[in-house]
Amino acid sequence: MTPNRHGTAVVELPNDLDVLITRQFDAPVGLVFDVLTKPEHVSRWFAPHGCEMKECSIDLRVGGSYRQVFVTEDGTECSFHGTYLEIEPPTRTVETWIFDGRPEVETVETVDLREAGGVTTMTIRTTYRDKASRDESIQHGFDGVESSFDHLEDVLASLRA
């Protein structure tokens, strides 16, 4: 039986500019990469619990862009976009990350995937331009991120079934 890893993301602050999030998934690295990069999958897991995905577009190539929009339970629209800087299937992507609610805070997000024994470890390093921007993002918390990762785990389980 596959363990339930809901709520197990580890968030670290390794320096003044970065947030490091690590989470394991019981799925092969290729499947995790696909679920992270294909719109038909991202649209199923990206929005936190209680939110509805409205738009998901991904042009997975260096220089290509992505955009995700979801609506919260109270009707607030949250949108994110960026440009792919590096792509190394099935183990790595590097992209800019912009939350449209705070467009002045552009980050670079690096996603690394490593598989061992059928378990894929995802490490996301989000690098901010300055400590103040990073600290402000931390104040908003990571509950939505954790909820999205729980959805990601559920999507992976449904695809393996």
Side-chain angles (χ1 to χ4, degrees), residues 67-79:
R67 179 170 170 78
Q68 287 121 7
V69 181
F70 64 83
V71 179
T72 64
E73 290 177 299
D74 69 3
T76 303
E77 188 173 281
C78 296
S79 56

Side-chain angles (χ1 to χ4, degrees), residues 31-85:
L31 181 59
V32 175
F33 186 84
D34 285 351
V35 172
L36 289 171
T37 60
K38 292 185 176 182
E40 64 268 25
H41 299 311
V42 175
S43 63
R44 293 178 57 198
W45 69 261
F46 182 80
H49 181 72
C51 300
E52 181 181 337
M53 201 68 177
K54 182 177 174 183
E55 178 185 341
C56 182
S57 62
I58 297 173
D59 180 7
L60 189 63
R61 61 181 176 84
V62 173
S65 63
Y66 68 89
R67 179 170 170 78
Q68 287 121 7
V69 181
F70 64 83
V71 179
T72 64
E73 290 177 299
D74 69 3
T76 303
E77 188 173 281
C78 296
S79 56
F80 304 84
H81 72 279
T83 302
Y84 289 100
L85 306 173

Side-chain angles (χ1 to χ4, degrees), residues 88-155:
E88 298 173 24
T91 59
R92 181 178 172 91
T93 62
V94 179
E95 56 274 346
T96 60
W97 179 258
I98 301 167
F99 169 50
D100 291 332
R102 293 180 54 221
E104 72 282 359
V105 182
E106 180 177 325
T107 66
V108 174
E109 179 180 83
T110 302
V111 179
D112 285 305
L113 303 172
R114 299 289 176 255
E115 181 183 353
V119 175
T120 296
T121 300
M122 176 178 70
T123 303
I124 300 174
R125 179 178 298 271
T126 304
T127 302
Y128 293 81
R129 291 182 183 171
D130 55 63
K131 185 179 185 310
S133 296
R134 187 207 62 179
D135 291 349
E136 184 180 339
S137 292
I138 292 168
Q139 285 180 320
H140 290 94
F142 289 94
D143 293 341
V145 172
E146 186 77 74
S147 176
S148 293
F149 290 164
D150 292 347
H151 287 169
L152 174 57
E153 178 182 337
D154 296 342
V155 169

